[in-house]
Amino acid sequence: MKWLLLFFSTFLFCLAQAGNTEVEVSQRCQAPMPTEPGIFSSEFQRYFSFAEMMSKFTQIYKSPQRLPQRAYWDAKTKTLKLPFDKELGGDVKIQNSFIQTIVRHIEKAFELSYVDAVFFPDMGHSHLLVPEAIMNNYYETYPTEKMSSMYEALFSNTEVQILYHTAEKMRMLDASNTALLPDEHIRWRHRTRNIVGQNSPQSHLEVLTDSSTTANVVSERKGFSWWGGGFNISANQNGCFEYKNRGKKYFFDLSLYDLVPESDENVIDQ
């Protein structure tokens, strides 16, 4: 009976993840074309009301603009890769389980009403929380020229946690920047803007808070080392990976590079 239950639960899990099979990902995840328009931070220089933010999301989602230097399928090696500096070890190989983890986080965040959109003004960037013992005894030994190998190890480690700062460009405070707006949805989003999930496709989400800051931005967790250079995600109708929200399919891209002004080169924020 136990093996039957295990088989059934595994079957259901695989069925739920069917939207990002190797075949589908290999077809969708093409490297950017040189003439392709990217998404830049200059798109989001101001704070948006909720209605403005959702309008902007629709615009970005339907536009040809996508994350520069995003994840792509390497047909020669049959692996997913994240572009990365050659002097730091070159492109980072990522496993399908890591993609399923991100999908899980996105879908649970929508299910719990923690987010409203997958792009920079809302759920668009992340940070990594690494258990201190593991960081001190293992990851700190990586030389700079092998930083890509460190990312590969981090993205494969189920003890690592991923923290998303949401509502990044949503207007939540009044003109004085001292009091929350009276809208209940805005207040809820303010309370839940630090969401954390384990690096696992079966992960649940929890909410952290920091009442010492007006913006409620958490930047540390006891027992964990803070790794600021996480990853960025942004939804687009032509995106690489599939997620679902209220039964509807959406797609998103993934990158190690933070958004920068259009005139600048992309850099990783550590």
Side-chain angles (χ1 to χ4, degrees):
M1 180 62 73
K2 287 184 178 180
W3 70 266
L4 184 60
L5 290 174
L6 179 61
F7 170 82
F8 188 64
S9 62
T10 303
F11 171 77
L12 289 179
F13 175 73
C14 292
L15 186 64
Q17 308 304 317
N20 289 298
T21 64
E22 182 176 304
V23 172
E24 291 171 312
V25 168
S26 66
Q27 293 173 345
R28 290 197 300 257
C29 297
Q30 304 301 315
M33 299 294 292
T35 58
E36 180 183 293
I39 303 174
F40 299 95
S41 60
S42 46
E43 290 269 358
F44 316 112
Q45 291 180 335
R46 63 186 179 86
Y47 283 89
F48 298 89
S49 69
F50 176 72
E52 289 171 337
M53 186 185 78
M54 297 310 295
S55 176
K56 188 67 174 178
F57 172 73
T58 299
Q59 174 198 326
I60 294 292
Y61 188 79
K62 293 182 177 180
S63 80
Q65 293 174 270
R66 297 173 65 183
L67 287 181
Q69 303 192 66
R70 63 177 180 267
Y72 69 96
W73 178 261
D74 185 336
K76 291 182 179 180
T77 61
K78 294 185 178 180
T79 55
L80 270 172
K81 293 184 178 180
L82 284 165
F84 199 58
D85 195 318
K86 290 183 180 179
E87 295 183 0
L88 301 178
D91 293 354
V92 175
K93 298 176 185 177
I94 51 176
Q95 304 299 318
N96 185 262
S97 59
F98 179 60
I99 299 304
Q100 302 301 351
T101 291
I102 300 173
V103 171
R104 169 75 170 185
H105 292 166
I106 292 172
E107 293 183 344
K108 291 299 292 184
F110 275 115
E111 180 184 324
L112 297 169
S113 298
Y114 291 162
V115 300
D116 292 291
V118 177
F119 74 147
F120 178 71
D122 197 355
M123 188 181 186
H125 79 280
S126 70
H127 306 282
L128 306 181
L129 301 176
V130 186
E132 288 179 348
I134 297 177
M135 177 61 82
N136 296 337
N137 297 329
Y138 184 52
Y139 292 117
E140 284 192 351
T141 65
Y142 276 92
T144 302
E145 63 270 19
K146 291 187 177 180
M147 189 67 68
S148 61
S149 295
M150 177 178 174
Y151 269 108
E152 289 173 4
L154 284 169
F155 292 156
S156 299
N157 192 329
T158 57
E159 294 188 65
V160 170
Q161 297 181 359
I162 301 171
L163 183 147
Y164 304 85
H165 285 147
T166 66
E168 187 70 16
K169 281 290 183 177
M170 183 188 294
R171 188 182 299 120
M172 295 185 289
L173 303 176
D174 63 11
S176 68
N177 285 325
T178 59
L180 282 172
L181 295 173
D183 183 274
E184 283 303 314
H185 184 65
I186 298 300
R187 289 173 177 264
W188 166 254
R189 292 301 316 279
H190 180 268
R191 289 195 298 273
T192 62
R193 67 169 312 220
N194 305 284
I195 55 178
V196 179
Q198 205 74 20
N199 184 23
S200 165
Q202 291 84 30
S203 172
H204 295 288
L205 294 181
E206 59 179 315
V207 174
L208 305 183
T209 58
D210 185 352
S211 58
S212 67
T213 67
T214 305
N216 183 27
V217 177
V218 170
S219 58
E220 61 181 2
R221 188 171 203 186
K222 186 176 180 180
F224 290 84
S225 293
W226 181 273
W227 186 259
F231 55 84
N232 291 269
I233 52 179
S234 187
N236 185 276
Q237 62 183 352
N238 299 312
C240 194
F241 310 109
E242 177 188 316
Y243 72 90
K244 293 184 177 68
N245 178 21
R246 297 176 182 174
K248 184 177 179 180
K249 293 181 182 179
Y250 294 85
F251 299 90
F252 72 96
D253 292 311
L254 170 70
S255 175
L256 281 175
Y257 290 83
D258 282 345
L259 298 182
V260 297
E262 190 169 359
S263 59
D264 294 345
E265 294 183 358
N266 263 352
V267 294
I268 292 180
D269 178 16
Q270 298 292 347

